[in-house]
Amino acid sequence: MERSTKSKFILVVFIGLVMLAFMIKMFFYDGKDKNNTGFDGEKEYSYTDPIEEEKPNSEDEITKDQQVPVGNTEIDYNAEYETKFGEEKVQKAKKIAEKVMQSWLENDTDMEMWKEISTAPFLIVVQNEVLAPKDQLTRKVQAQEVSSTEASGDRDIRFMIYATWDVLSAGKKVRVQSNMYKLTLTLSESGEWVVKELSRV
């Protein structure tokens, strides 16, 4: 064997032995003292219960800044409207909303009725939508759920109406439909509720 080849062979064997020793060390010894818990032996540690905040004895001691609403946190728009317009006026608005929704869905063509309860811009919408039905079907409203929601104007009141109706063809029911509508009423100069806007949600 030549000298250079012999030197290379010895070098490879030496590197192999070093790597073998290193792997044996890693396998049998993980480098940590098994008795070491991670704490300094000279220091003593003790556990104490967490300090609890003192709770006020009564609700009077809670400031307004600390009060958190409990339960349903949604704004009661109906109560706001009753405070603003009066309970009787709000109930009248709801009845008009139900009447408008039923008349709209059932394509009521009584123009005198629409003139009484519509603003001038909404009356144009009625003429284009209600008085010119797109199909030969008729509709019969079966149920309405009316709930108050936020209005944009000071003289306005707005309702969300979930309506369910039967679709009839030649007097026979062919299907049942339902949808949500947004209806805005506003006070006229005479103090009566009139329809300002109606749209499907």
Side-chain angles (χ1 to χ4, degrees), residues 14-33:
F14 178 73
I15 291 171
L17 290 172
V18 170
M19 289 180 68
L20 183 63
F22 183 73
M23 287 192 300
I24 290 171
K25 181 181 177 188
M26 291 299 291
F27 184 75
F28 290 108
Y29 179 72
D30 61 3
K32 293 181 181 177
D33 184 1

Side-chain angles (χ1 to χ4, degrees), residues 72-129:
N72 187 3
T73 57
E74 290 182 10
I75 298 170
D76 187 352
Y77 291 109
N78 192 65
E80 283 189 6
Y81 289 145
E82 286 180 358
T83 303
K84 189 175 183 179
F85 300 111
E87 186 179 349
E88 188 178 334
K89 203 80 170 167
V90 173
Q91 290 305 316
K92 190 172 183 182
K94 283 186 178 178
K95 286 179 182 176
I96 291 172
E98 289 175 353
K99 179 182 178 181
V100 168
M101 196 74 257
Q102 181 171 354
S103 299
W104 179 271
L105 291 170
E106 294 180 358
N107 289 95
D108 190 335
T109 56
D110 182 356
M111 217 37 211
E112 291 304 314
M113 182 270 297
W114 283 115
K115 282 179 183 175
E116 285 180 15
I117 60 172
S118 303
T119 58
F122 185 72
L123 193 58
I124 295 169
V125 175
V126 170
Q127 289 170 338
N128 292 333
E129 298 290 330

Side-chain angles (χ1 to χ4, degrees), residues 67-192:
Q67 287 180 351
V68 178
V70 178
N72 187 3
T73 57
E74 290 182 10
I75 298 170
D76 187 352
Y77 291 109
N78 192 65
E80 283 189 6
Y81 289 145
E82 286 180 358
T83 303
K84 189 175 183 179
F85 300 111
E87 186 179 349
E88 188 178 334
K89 203 80 170 167
V90 173
Q91 290 305 316
K92 190 172 183 182
K94 283 186 178 178
K95 286 179 182 176
I96 291 172
E98 289 175 353
K99 179 182 178 181
V100 168
M101 196 74 257
Q102 181 171 354
S103 299
W104 179 271
L105 291 170
E106 294 180 358
N107 289 95
D108 190 335
T109 56
D110 182 356
M111 217 37 211
E112 291 304 314
M113 182 270 297
W114 283 115
K115 282 179 183 175
E116 285 180 15
I117 60 172
S118 303
T119 58
F122 185 72
L123 193 58
I124 295 169
V125 175
V126 170
Q127 289 170 338
N128 292 333
E129 298 290 330
V130 176
L131 302 184
K134 306 291 188 292
D135 55 39
Q136 299 303 312
L137 300 172
T138 56
R139 292 157 185 83
K140 182 69 177 170
V141 174
Q142 296 300 326
Q144 295 185 62
E145 293 176 25
V146 182
S147 59
S148 304
T149 187
E150 186 177 14
S152 54
D154 289 338
R155 296 173 61 83
D156 296 353
I157 189 168
R158 182 175 286 166
F159 298 108
M160 298 297 286
I161 305 172
Y162 183 75
T164 304
W165 63 93
D166 293 338
V167 179
L168 310 169
S169 177
K172 293 182 180 179
K173 183 166 75 172
V174 291
R175 64 180 175 272
V176 177
Q177 289 185 320
S178 60
N179 217 318
M180 182 78 79
Y181 293 86
K182 182 167 55 178
L183 175 66
T184 304
L185 302 176
T186 190
L187 284 172
S188 65
E189 294 299 323
S190 61
E192 297 298 322

